[in-house]
């Protein structure tokens, strides 16, 4: 069991960590060296390959978010240099790239990984591999359909669809783009975004029922969006 904090994960995988007046090569070999409350097991992390969308998501939502809590990194003035320093990972064999995130290759890679390996996976893939992997909390919040739908689990990627009202044909046929009203209807149906909707196998985690109902009502009324 690893009850990881976001900064623990970043400190485990970063190429360099703050020390003294500057940065030093990451010396941590076990999770206990990162945080005395964690077990003394070797750090092993499996990440999506560098060219994968999920890797970009990991860089932005996990690493950059963790770096915002590190004063020495926040103090780097140049944004490009700051981000590069933040997301550059160690290359001493602690981290391995997953060959792909779907299909038998990822299952084989994780089955072959040493026990205690921490893998970063999309929720849908983790569900498919429930016999191989165990979901871990980050900052005390476990990933689950409930915490994701309620947005209490912060490492999510909400999906927004924007439609310009002036482009929608009205019931008299006035408007620039045919089919947008039908698209809105389709994208807000329970058979699309509900728990048994056809987008769920593609990785969508449905919003809570009350929020789906409210979004559907506002969308069909063509009300302006508010975050």
């Amino acid at each position: 069991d690893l009850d990881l904090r976001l900064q623990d994960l970043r400190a485990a995988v970063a190429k360099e960590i703050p020390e003294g007046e500057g940065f030093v090569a990451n010396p941590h070999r076990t999770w206990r060296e990162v945080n005395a409350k964690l077990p003394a097991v070797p750090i092993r992390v499996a990440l999506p390959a560098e060219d994968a969308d999920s890797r970009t998501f990991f860089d932005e939502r996990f690493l950059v978010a963790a770096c915002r809590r590190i004063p020495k990194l926040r103090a780097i003035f140049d944004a490009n240099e700051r981000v590069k320093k933040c997301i550059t990972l160690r290359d001493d064999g602690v981290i391995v790239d997953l060959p792909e995130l779907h299909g038998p290759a990822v299952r084989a890679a994780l089955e072959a990984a040493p026990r205690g390996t921490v893998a970063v996976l999309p929720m849908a893939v983790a569900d498919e591999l429930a016999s191989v992997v165990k979901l871990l909390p980050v900052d005390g919040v476990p990933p689950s359909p409930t915490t994701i739908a309620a947005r209490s689990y912060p490492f999510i990627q909400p999906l927004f669809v924007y439609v310009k009202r002036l482009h929608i044909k009205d019931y008299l046929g006035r408007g620039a783009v045919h089919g947008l009203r039908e698209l809105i209807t389709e994208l807000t149906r329970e058979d699309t975004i509900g728990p048994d909707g056809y987008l769920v196998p593609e990785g969508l985690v449905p919003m809570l029922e009350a929020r789906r109902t409210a979004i559907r009502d506002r969308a069909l009324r063509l009300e302006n969006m508010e975050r």
Side-chain angles (χ1 to χ4, degrees), residues 1-24:
D1 290 331
L2 288 173
D3 190 0
L4 291 175
R5 301 176 305 165
L6 186 59
Q7 55 264 47
D8 294 337
L9 183 56
R10 197 266 164 184
V13 300
K15 185 177 181 67
E16 296 180 338
I17 62 171
E19 184 174 297
E21 297 299 318
F23 295 85
V24 298

Side-chain angles (χ1 to χ4, degrees), residues 35 68 84 113 133 155-156 176 198 204 219:
N35 183 339
R68 294 192 186 106
K84 182 178 179 181
V133 301
F155 309 107
I156 61 174
Y198 59 76
L204 180 77

Side-chain angles (χ1 to χ4, degrees), residues 2 12 31 39 73 90 133-134 153 157 176 179:
L2 288 173
W31 288 104
L73 278 166
R90 58 198 301 178
V133 301
K134 174 183 180 178
Y153 183 74
Q157 190 164 11

Side-chain angles (χ1 to χ4, degrees), residues 46 48 54 98 100-101 106 110 119-127 129 133:
S54 296
L98 294 171
E100 59 183 74
L101 292 180
V106 66
L110 292 177
V120 176
L121 301 168
M123 186 71 180
V125 177
D127 285 342
L129 300 176
V133 301

Side-chain angles (χ1 to χ4, degrees), residues 83-111:
V83 171
K84 182 178 179 181
K85 175 75 76 174
C86 176
I87 68 174
T88 300
L89 304 184
R90 58 198 301 178
D91 54 4
D92 54 1
V94 167
I95 301 170
V96 298
D97 283 350
L98 294 171
E100 59 183 74
L101 292 180
H102 298 278
V106 66
R107 175 179 287 273
L110 292 177
E111 286 177 340

